[in-house]
């Protein structure tokens, strides 16, 4: 037994028990984590899970969601076989079908629509799951299409775009590089990425100073922050610019760095000069002494990183806010240096592991030239310019208006319509399609609009390759019997490649052949990782020491770090997009007196990830009721008590749910968690309030009003009866 194998060895139950421990991974949440799991299996059924000791990153730990994998996998609403719709769209009327019948129906319909219209009248969409994306995108290309789009139309990509505009690369804070200060801007790692939380906590224990900037008081603001700033929702661009002005006015910038590596400093300096401390305090609500203090800390700490995440991008001004925040690293010279902000390169599935693969080649080698504009291309030109994918946030509008051409069919892999703004409008759009099929583990709202549904499997029921920082790659194998007659998405894609007459021999061969193509040069590692269930280090992995990126010139149009974006300057001026990270008010266009509150819909809770966990009993028990968080003083002035039924209304919809009185909410602001079936926060989000740079919806800045529901009496007692209680954080 090798040293690694010993490290991973768990206490194995005796053979008399019939229980085996098999290695797999949890893919419920973000691929950045994907924790190693020891699955206790008997007769093909999962009995319990434990974290795998020694696994890269997670090292034996699981979060609340990961620990509930057994309940997740055996959810009562798993789809057990292919289904064909027999009743009206949106209904539960389906009949069982064989795989043969279901796949034939799909292939016949897609081929017919392609022949009658255009391959791009078919949209290929995938939700949060990342593991099969290269395969799905290649299938779209091999079938002659380009209208491929993903949930990244609301996640990650806006931050990625902001980072690429400035640095020419994605970036990450170098927490292991002895920083003196870390600024977590809109960051609550304890809940959003618990492994990241441990990184922060380790830094804090080592004496690193931490600034947290969040509109809500969070676990991070309470446990980590040496300085906590709480701006009003959507005003962070002003805060960042004001900090920049303090730094520049005092001459604290790294001028030699700016002179050597940076483009657009003079224009940027001009722009931030309008944000003096008084103006910034008035707009953001942050006391000017705190803004000054934060700016000084950022300037004095060497090295320091200022980083942000997806929460900040869920605003109409999100992408520019992200750029404004990241620019602070540039003016202080904390780029490509240990402890600062480091450029990263993706290895596979948007994860950097320190080696290169043929993923891009695999995805694009069957792509033909585009003929039609993709979904969202005209409305969100920068998105298109940087991604060359459809922007799914324009799908509803496109289908309903047929502008600039009709969309006739939808291939929906893991589509959760409840994650789209104004969900019911999207459902109306789905009703209009000539054909739709869905693959999912569970019965979802989207499934009910599909003509054919295919049952997919969880990470425990299939194998998968995954890369981790440090050059590691893991290759799991199926660990438990499949539930019902489900299949893996890549098996489905390979079958479709054949039936759609794509002629794509590689895709038809299935997962392992494609993986060996993508990971050329890593054959031995793949075999070893698959045999042991233990991540193996690629011999192709090379450290990229800080400093090596800028030495070769940044991967931007100018080869410099761009505070003024040449890429944006080169777009048609009619787009109205500014090459500088200008701040503009992201507030909704409506009567402010009628809608005096701002709703932030969708910060994260430990017991849920989007739609996936609300039906998992252990997890649901942690926060059984959908609730709206409100500051106690605001509640008092409206006569609202804990647990009262209230109505929250926006310009597009109203929801009835319970009030949770908490100091986590700022005055004038409300918070709701998303994903609940009985109170879908996204019905409240207008489908028109999008960031013109990224196309992202304004999930986190929605004008609204809140009233006590007159029909409700004794709300707190009613809530208590169902086990719901007040939630502090
Ligand atoms: N109001 C509000 N809305 C938001 C957000 C917010 O903050 N606030 N956040 C946005 C963000 S950042 C994101 S990432 C999105 C997430 O939005 P989604 O991607 O829509 O979220 P999930 O609930 O993870 O839905 C994915 C679907 O995939 C299914 N699934 C899981 N595994 C597999 C698999 O292996 N194969 C297949 N075929 N299906 C699978 C799940 O059952 C589920 O139905 O939501 C966005 N929407
Ligand atoms: N438990 C759990 N973990 C998750 C997820 C989940 O659903 N559940 N989702 C995963 C996904 S898909 C993603 S994209 C990430 C998202 O994780 P993050 O990128 O961290 O995004 P959010 O949690 O949406 O927002 C982060 C913080 O930003 C704050 N915030 C919101 N608006 C503003 C603002 O205008 N200004 C400032 N300063 N702060 C603001 C929120 O209060 C929140 O605490 O989390 C991942 N992790
Ligand atoms: Mo996300």
């Amino acid at each position: 037994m090798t040293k690694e194998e010993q490290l991973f060895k768990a206490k194995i139950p005796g053979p008399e028990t019939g229980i085996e421990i098999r290695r797999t991974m949890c893919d419920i949440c973000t691929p950045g984590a994907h924790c190693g799991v020891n699955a206790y299996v008997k007769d093909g059924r999962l009995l319990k899970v434990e974290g795998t000791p020694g696994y890269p990153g997670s090292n034996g730990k699981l979060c609340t969601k990961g620990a509930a994998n057994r309940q997740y996998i055996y959810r009562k609403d798993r789809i057990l076989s292919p289904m064909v719709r027999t009743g009206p769209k949106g209904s539960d009327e389906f009949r069982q079908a064989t795989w043969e019948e279901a796949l034939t129906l799909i292939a016949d319909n897609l081929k017919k629509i392609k022949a009658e219209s255009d391959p791009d009248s078919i949209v290929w969409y995938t939700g949060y799951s990342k593991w099969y994306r290269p395969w799905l995108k290649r299938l779209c290309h091999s079938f002659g299409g380009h209208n491929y789009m993903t949930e990244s139309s609301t996640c990650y990509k806006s931050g990625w775009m902001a980072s690429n505009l400035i640095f020419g690369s994605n970036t990450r804070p170098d927490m292991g590089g002895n920083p003196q200060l870390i600024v977590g801007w809109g960051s609550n790692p304890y809940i959003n990425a618990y492994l990241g939380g441990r990184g922060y906590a380790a830094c804090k224990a080592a004496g690193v100073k931490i600034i947290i900037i969040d509109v809500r008081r969070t676990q991070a603001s309470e446990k980590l922050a040496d300085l906590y700033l709480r701006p009003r929702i959507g005003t962070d661009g002003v805060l960042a610019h004001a900090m920049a002005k303090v730094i520049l006015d005092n001459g604290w910038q790294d001028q030699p760095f700016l002179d050597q590596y940076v483009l657009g400093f003079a224009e940027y300096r001009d722009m931030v000069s309008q944000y003096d401390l008084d103006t910034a305090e008035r707009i953001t609500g942050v006391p000017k002494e705190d803004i000054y203090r934060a700016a000084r800390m950022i300037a004095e700490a060497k090295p320091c990183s200022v980083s942000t995440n997806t929460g900040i991008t869920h605003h109409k001004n999100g992408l520019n806010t992200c750029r404004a925040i990241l620019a602070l690293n540039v003016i202080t010279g904390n780029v490509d240096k240990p402890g600062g902000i480091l450029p990263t390169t993706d290895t596979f599935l948007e994860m950097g592991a320190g080696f290169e693969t043929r993923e891009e080649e695999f995805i694009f080698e069957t792509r033909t030239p585009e003929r039609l504009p993709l979904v969202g291309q005209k409305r969100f030109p920068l998105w298109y310019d940087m991604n060359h994918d459809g922007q799914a946030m324009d799908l509803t509008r496109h289908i309903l208006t047929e502008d600039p051409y009709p969309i006739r069919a939808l291939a929906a892999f893991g589509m959760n319509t409840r994650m789209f703004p104004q969900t019911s409008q999207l459902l109306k759009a789905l009703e209009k399609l000539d054909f739709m099929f869905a693959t999912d583990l569970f019965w979802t709202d989207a499934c009910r609009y599909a003509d054919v549904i295919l049952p997919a499997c969880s990470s425990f029921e299939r194998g998968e390759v995954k890369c981790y920082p440090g050059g590691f790659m893991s290759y799991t194998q199926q660990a438990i019997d499949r539930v019902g007659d489900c299949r893996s998405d890549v098996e489905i894609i390979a079958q479709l490649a054949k039936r759609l007459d794509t002629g794509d021999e590689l895709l038809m061969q299935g997962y392992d052949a494609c993986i060996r193509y993508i990971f050329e040069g890593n054959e031995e590692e793949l075999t070893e990782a698959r045999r042991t269930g233990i991540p193996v280090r690629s011999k192709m992995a090379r450290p990229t020491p800080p400093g090596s990126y800028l030495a070769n010139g940044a991967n931007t149009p100018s080869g410099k770090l761009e505070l003024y974006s040449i890429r944006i300057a080169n777009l048609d001026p009619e787009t109205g997009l500014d090459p500088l990270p200008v701040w503009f008010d992201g507030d909704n266009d409506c009567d402010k007196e009628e809608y005096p509150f701002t709703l932030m819909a969708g910060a994260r809770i430990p017991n849920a990830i989007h739609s996936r966990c609300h039906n998992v009993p252990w997890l649901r028990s942690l926060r059984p009721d959908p609730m709206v968080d409100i500051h106690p003083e605001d509640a008092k002035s409206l006569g609202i008590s804990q647990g009262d039924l209230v109505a929250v209304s926006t310009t597009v919809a109203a929801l009835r749910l319970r009030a949770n009185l908490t100091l986590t909410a700022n005055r004038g602001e409300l918070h709701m968690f998303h994903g609940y079936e009985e109170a879908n926060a996204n019905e409240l989000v207008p489908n028109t309030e999008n960031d013109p740079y990224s196309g992202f919806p304004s999930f986190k800045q929605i004008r609204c009003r809140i009233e006590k529901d007159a029909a409700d009496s004794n709300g707190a007692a009613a809530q208590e009866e169902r086990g719901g209680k007040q939630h502090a954080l």
Side-chain angles (χ1 to χ4, degrees), residues 128 151 154-156 310 604 610:
Y128 194 70
E151 131 293 355
T154 66
C155 178
Y156 167 72
T310 301
R604 277 37 178 162
H610 310 306

Side-chain angles (χ1 to χ4, degrees), residues 668-690:
E669 296 178 359
L670 306 176
H671 304 297
M672 266 183 74
F673 296 110
H674 62 295
Y676 286 95
E677 186 172 358
E678 61 278 50
N680 173 10
N682 274 330
E683 283 300 357
L684 296 174
V685 182
N687 195 18
T688 44
E689 300 283 342
N690 298 59

Side-chain angles (χ1 to χ4, degrees), residues 111-167:
K111 282 194 284 192
K112 179 168 163 274
I113 288 169
K114 176 180 163 178
E116 286 170 0
S117 305
D118 186 279
D120 282 331
S121 59
I122 300 163
V123 160
W124 303 83
Y125 175 86
T126 168
Y128 194 70
S129 281
K130 316 275 190 286
W131 77 274
Y132 53 75
R133 285 188 181 184
W135 284 260
L136 184 64
K137 193 163 178 179
R138 180 169 168 129
L139 177 64
C140 164
H141 293 159
S142 295
F143 192 52
H146 313 84
N147 254 330
Y148 167 86
M149 60 202 71
T150 74
E151 131 293 355
S152 300
S153 301
T154 66
C155 178
Y156 167 72
K157 276 284 171 171
S158 174
W160 176 92
M161 286 167 72
S163 192
N164 269 278
L165 287 169
I166 298 179
F167 305 104

